[in-house]
Amino acid sequence: MLSRASISIEKGLSMSSRAESYRRLWDFAVPDSTIASQKWVLSAMQSLGPELITMLWRILGNEQDVCDCYQDTFLHLAHIETGQKKPSNIRAYVFRSASNTAISILRRKLIEQKNLCRIAENPKSQTPVGGELDSGSLQRQLRLNIAKLPEYLRDVVALHDLAEFPYSQVAKILKITQGAARVYRHKAVQLLAVWMKE
Amino acid sequence: MNAKIKTNCRDARGLLGKLGEYINFSTPWVQRHIANCPKCQKRFAAVSKVYLAMSLVKACPHNIDLLKRANIQTVDSLSHGVRGTAKADKLRIAMPQMKLAEKFSPVRGALANTAACIAIMLFAKAGILNSMEKFQTDSKKVIENYYEKNIGSELTDEIFS
């Protein structure tokens, strides 16, 4: 009985030591430069994470999508090739790439939704009856229409209205003037109003 | 009358983009104009729908642990050397925190009043208020002299008495 227990302990030990050696091997395989480049990504996550989560949640409205988009953004930042220079404005890079990824997820959803409606053959069944205000559908409508906006207008709406950055920061991130940011936002709201009326 | 409505219409259209930032529906001339202009009624209704949707999106809360989950998912896909660091451990338990401005928003007025009182006390202590008074009386004397020279002492006394 004892011998069987000692054998299982030995087995367990050998397995853990093997796992340890594999981990060392893996660590050895990852160059130091990659580790160094990924360490500053942690700092970026710490400083930009909460704001980014808020923006992504407002664009996507789905927690799993938010987690995926967040991961994609920072992994992309972490795996910038070692030869390449780290982006000069990390904040701008992170928010722009995150909003682009989020919008592509939204577009994919829009296509899937259209296909589902086609299969169901009764797309009007989801609309509220008697012109009632349905907050869920209003939010969905807004998100889908934001995804339809041209990129230069969409970026301003995402950063100013959803991430709640002031125009000065939006202008800095998008490398445009504050006046241009205001004009783009005004145009975007007008377009959204026309599309949401239809 | 028509021309006035048209001018107001143009102004109102110009302000549509600033709705929620600088103006609101409670502004009297906006309300008066919208009541009489069917075109602007439609425009404001459409824009308001967008703002309503935006505020609904902003008001919708997410789970409190969303940041933590997103951080865990991301950190776990980084290389091993980074995963074990103290910073990574901190990120794994990170929770969203209120901004300083949001934290102090309920006591903002009281803080501003206290700061104003402290500023006045400091000014008084530094003698700035005394020197301001002195500057005021000196400048009054200069003006009196100027009037005396130009319009005579009698009229000057009448003015400054």
Side-chain angles (χ1 to χ4, degrees), chain B residues 48-149:
Chain B
S48 300
K49 198 177 171 187
V50 176
Y51 282 106
L52 176 68
M54 273 183 189
S55 45
L56 282 172
V57 164
K58 281 182 199 174
C60 192
H62 57 73
N63 270 339
I64 197 146
D65 66 338
L66 182 60
L67 177 67
K68 194 172 92 177
R69 277 196 285 146
N71 277 338
I72 289 171
Q73 195 175 319
T74 310
V75 168
D76 285 350
S77 44
L78 293 173
S79 60
H80 280 263
V82 184
R83 272 187 234 176
T85 56
K87 233 176 208 174
D89 291 338
K90 234 181 187 179
L91 282 169
R92 280 195 186 98
I93 51 164
M95 286 290 193
Q97 281 176 348
M98 277 171 92
K99 285 177 192 169
L100 210 64
E102 284 169 359
K103 256 185 200 172
F104 290 107
S105 63
V107 288
R108 201 185 289 162
L111 280 176
N113 285 340
T114 318
C117 287
I118 290 169
I120 289 168
M121 274 168 65
L122 285 174
F123 284 154
K125 210 172 185 187
I128 289 172
L129 292 177
N130 284 341
S131 57
M132 271 168 74
E133 267 175 33
K134 202 184 165 194
F135 177 75
Q136 215 174 354
T137 47
D138 285 352
S139 51
K140 203 178 169 185
K141 271 180 195 168
V142 170
I143 292 167
E144 269 182 38
N145 284 339
Y146 175 79
Y147 274 85
E148 236 176 61
K149 267 185 195 171

Side-chain angles (χ1 to χ4, degrees), chain A residues 111-124:
Chain A
I111 293 166
E112 278 170 14
Q113 207 179 346
K114 270 185 185 171
N115 289 338
L116 280 173
C117 282
R118 228 176 281 154
I119 293 165
E121 290 177 13
N122 190 12
K124 282 180 183 173

